[in-house]
Structures are given as structure tokens and as C-alpha cells.
Amino acid sequence: MSMDTSPCFISLLILGLVVTLAGVTPQVEARAFFVFGDSLVDNGNNNYLATTARADAPPYGVDYPTRRATGRFSNGLNIPDLISEAIGSEPTLPYLAPELRGEKLLVGANFASAGIGILNDTGVQFLNIIRIGQQLQFFQQYQQRVSALIGPEQAQRLVNEALVLMTLGGNDFVNNYYLVPFSARSRQFALPDYVVYLISEYRKILVRVYELGARRILVTGTGPLGCVPAERATRSRNGECAVELQRAAALFNPQLVQMITELNMEIGSDVFIAANAYEMNMDFVTNPQAYGFVTSQVACCGQGRFNGIGLCTIASNLCPNREIFAFWDPFHPTERANRIIVSTIVTGDTKYMNPMNLSTIMALDSRV
């Protein structure tokens, strides 16, 4: 039987196809990505809030593709951006961004908010920030919005198959326990007991994310808290890493890995993946030259000793070449340092990624 190939028939065929496709609900393409946590992973939620914990003014974003400050605490791209790049997805939008609607929702969402911690009393000085409980409520709200778009079954599948990043804990030390001498939490707990308390509270958060449908969750430990320029500037005599904050990180991180291992055993599946941010950072903090940095002691943007005092603003010192600095501001890595961290998340061995790295996760999940 010969097929009619006249232009008229072909146009009708195309028209029919267009009409058919127009009636189909949006399809989920790449893997969705959800981000929870603090300023290391905030993509701009705090821009929409009355808070001092913001990065929406120059020189933040000086190396971002648009050359504008977006609310990312970086000179350019941050860790979630680079993970999105690694999984072949576009960057997630902040949940509070008005443009996060319609098909954009299928990419995922970033719920992170600078200044927050595991505990609700962490970051109180920043006033309006999205504490972790609220971030999880927004995740529920997000799921309702996606259900309305693609139906509840597809929405459930999108969440179950998504990748999740959770970055919490640093602020519970820097902006709580050690914020001021004789802080309320330091009077309440000796450091080892505080860490045990933090881990028990963190466990509840991780269980809740699982209950909300997440099945692949990267959980980062804290970085070397005492080595950021802010802490070197205020707590060290000769510019060495601040001992007490390093002790806090050394107590917290192994207990986090242990808790995650136990959770996975209870669930009977490798739902939670521990990313050892401490070791990832220490590689270039202790040996910056090996990674092409000139310094890991001095921030690119800041003022005072090690550019570690106060905030990064238009009035701050600003280094001309961000590629040779490990730290962008007194607390946050440069885009180039973030690239090293994410590269290790993707391909690192069990020293860094436990029980497996992101490339293994992607290979495993693509077979399902």
C-alpha cells in the first residue's frame, strides 16, 4: 500500500501530531534535583526575605555567567549548580523565585537558606530565614504543585527518582555554639554532648526527608570549620586553623557517617550517601599549591586580617584573579574550589564518598 506523501497530507499529519502533543501532560525529562541546607547551597531564596544573610549585591556573582549577584554565596557557580551540571540538568531555581512554575518545577527546586542549621535557634541573628522544618514544609507544598501539573503518580515518581542534596551543620557551630563566648548552647552542653544532640536532631530531619519520598540523598558533613578565613582571622595567633572549631568538625563528621550507615541498614537500602566535605576541603586547604591556588588562608573578598573580617561588600578588598584563591569570602569557597569539591563528589573513592560516589549512583539508577 503506497502512502500519500502530498504536502497537504504531511501538513495534516503534523497538525494532528501537534494537537495530540498539546493535550499531553508535561513529561519529566532529566532527573529532578532538590537542595536543602544553608549558605553553601542557597541559590537565592534569601533574596526574597528580610534578612542580613544575603548575597544579592556586588561583588557576589562577579564571575557568574550573567556577571550579576544572584544570592549565591560565591563569585560564580556554587555546589548545587555544579552537581546539576554533572547530572545533565539545568540549575535548580530557588523555591521562592516567582519564575519557578509550570514545567520549570520538573527540574526540581532549591529550598536552602543562608544562616540556618540543624537547630531552630541557629542563626537567630539573621531574623527571617527558612529554617529546615520550613524547608521541608515547602517540599511538601512543592509536591502538591507538581501533582496538580503531572498527576500524583508521576509526581511521586519524580520525587522517588530525584537526587537530593542536604548540607547542614556548620552554622550550628559557627553561628550558635561558638558565636559568642558563653553562648546559651555552650553553657547547656559540653562540646561532645552538643555533637551527640546535633546528630540526634539531624537524624529526625533525614528520616523526614525519606518519609517525604526522597530515595537518593547526598548528605555533606561540615568542612574544616576552623580553617575558613573568618575563623583564622579571629581565633588564631599565627594564621593556623582554629583548634576548637576543628575539634568540633572532627567530632561531628564521623558521628554523622555512623548515623547515616545505621539509617541505611534500618531502611535496607543505600538511601543516604555521606559526602566527606571535611576531607574534600582539607586537600586544598593544607596544600593549595597542588591545586593551583596561591592561598587557602586569605579570602578573595573581605577586609582586615586574611580578608576574614566582616562581610564581602562593594567596599571590600577584591582580588583580581579568583582562580588562585580557595576562599571567595570569609566563609565560602570560590567557584574553582567548588568545582574541586563536586568533582570529588562525582568520582571520589570511599575516603570521600560513603558508600559510593555520584557517578556510581547515576550508573546504578540508570539501570533501574
Side-chain angles (χ1 to χ4, degrees):
M1 181 183 134
S2 70
M3 192 172 172
D4 185 349
T5 53
S6 65
C8 180
F9 177 85
I10 289 169
S11 345
L12 276 171
L13 198 66
I14 291 168
L15 182 65
L17 192 63
V18 169
V19 170
T20 311
L21 289 175
V24 173
T25 52
Q27 283 305 299
V28 181
E29 290 299 321
R31 182 176 207 170
F33 182 38
F34 301 107
V35 182
F36 301 91
D38 57 28
S39 60
L40 288 165
V41 295
D42 184 348
N43 271 17
N45 279 310
N46 282 20
N47 298 356
Y48 303 95
L49 304 171
T51 176
T52 50
R54 292 166 75 135
D56 58 345
Y60 284 96
V62 62
D63 300 309
Y64 191 74
T66 59
R67 303 286 180 264
R68 298 175 72 129
T70 60
R72 290 163 171 82
F73 285 76
S74 172
N75 59 303
L77 302 179
N78 64 8
I79 288 168
D81 293 327
L82 298 166
I83 290 177
S84 291
E85 211 173 80
I87 65 172
S89 189
E90 56 188 273
T92 53
L93 286 167
Y95 187 66
L96 298 184
E99 58 270 33
L100 182 66
R101 57 178 192 269
E103 301 234 353
K104 290 270 184 210
L105 288 163
L106 305 182
V107 174
N110 185 315
F111 301 93
S113 177
I116 71 130
I118 294 163
L119 306 181
N120 282 335
D121 54 289
T122 290
V124 284
Q125 71 274 30
F126 300 125
L127 302 176
N128 293 308
I129 47 181
I130 315 167
R131 306 196 185 285
I132 190 62
Q134 180 67 58
Q135 290 186 27
L136 295 174
Q137 281 173 7
F138 280 154
F139 187 36
Q140 275 183 285
Q141 191 183 84
Y142 163 90
Q143 292 188 37
Q144 289 158 2
R145 292 173 66 190
V146 171
S147 282
L149 188 69
I150 59 175
E153 279 180 33
Q154 280 285 88
Q156 178 76 46
R157 198 174 139 210
L158 178 141
V159 170
N160 289 161
E161 293 179 356
L163 183 69
V164 175
L165 175 66
M166 175 76 74
T167 297
L168 286 174
N171 284 326
D172 294 288
F173 297 105
V174 171
N175 280 307
N176 190 332
Y177 195 88
Y178 291 108
L179 180 63
V180 289
F182 312 108
S183 68
R185 288 296 190 185
S186 68
R187 289 197 309 267
Q188 182 187 5
F189 291 109
L191 180 64
D193 300 327
Y194 182 62
V195 170
V196 169
Y197 175 59
L198 282 181
I199 296 291
S200 69
E201 290 299 301
Y202 204 171
R203 189 182 192 281
K204 294 174 194 172
I205 292 161
L206 295 181
V207 167
R208 186 70 189 125
V209 178
Y210 177 77
E211 287 170 354
L212 291 172
R215 294 295 177 267
R216 278 290 189 212
I217 305 154
L218 299 176
V219 183
T220 63
T222 74
L225 301 171
C227 301
V228 299
E231 302 302 341
R232 291 189 199 248
T234 54
R235 294 177 192 271
S236 75
R237 183 166 296 172
N238 301 311
E240 69 281 3
C241 298
V243 174
E244 199 52 17
L245 278 152
Q246 287 296 86
R247 185 173 151 238
L251 283 170
F252 179 83
N253 288 317
Q255 289 183 46
L256 177 64
V257 174
Q258 187 188 340
M259 180 264 281
I260 284 171
T261 306
E262 287 166 6
L263 266 182
N264 284 341
M265 283 173 70
E266 277 176 41
I267 294 165
S269 170
D270 292 327
V271 168
F272 298 99
I273 314 292
N276 192 332
Y278 184 89
E279 293 292 351
M280 292 176 195
N281 279 271
M282 277 313 267
D283 285 349
F284 59 77
V285 163
T286 52
N287 192 359
Q289 283 75 21
Y291 292 84
F293 296 118
V294 166
T295 178
S296 61
Q297 217 177 27
V298 183
C300 166
C301 180
Q303 45 280 312
R305 191 180 186 209
F306 306 128
N307 278 344
I309 307 294
L311 303 170
C312 166
T313 69
I314 201 75
S316 299
N317 301 319
L318 180 67
C319 69
N321 181 5
R322 272 73 63 185
E323 295 289 301
I324 57 174
F325 281 74
F327 285 96
W328 157 246
D329 69 8
F331 288 101
H332 304 98
T334 53
E335 176 182 325
R336 187 151 167 274
N338 284 333
R339 283 191 181 277
I340 294 167
I341 293 165
V342 172
S343 161
T344 313
I345 288 174
V346 175
T347 61
D349 62 24
T350 49
K351 175 186 173 186
Y352 305 98
M353 297 296 295
N354 195 336
M356 63 188 127
N357 61 33
L358 183 53
S359 62
T360 304
I361 291 168
M362 291 193 298
L364 275 177
D365 294 351
S366 67
R367 293 192 206 124
V368 175

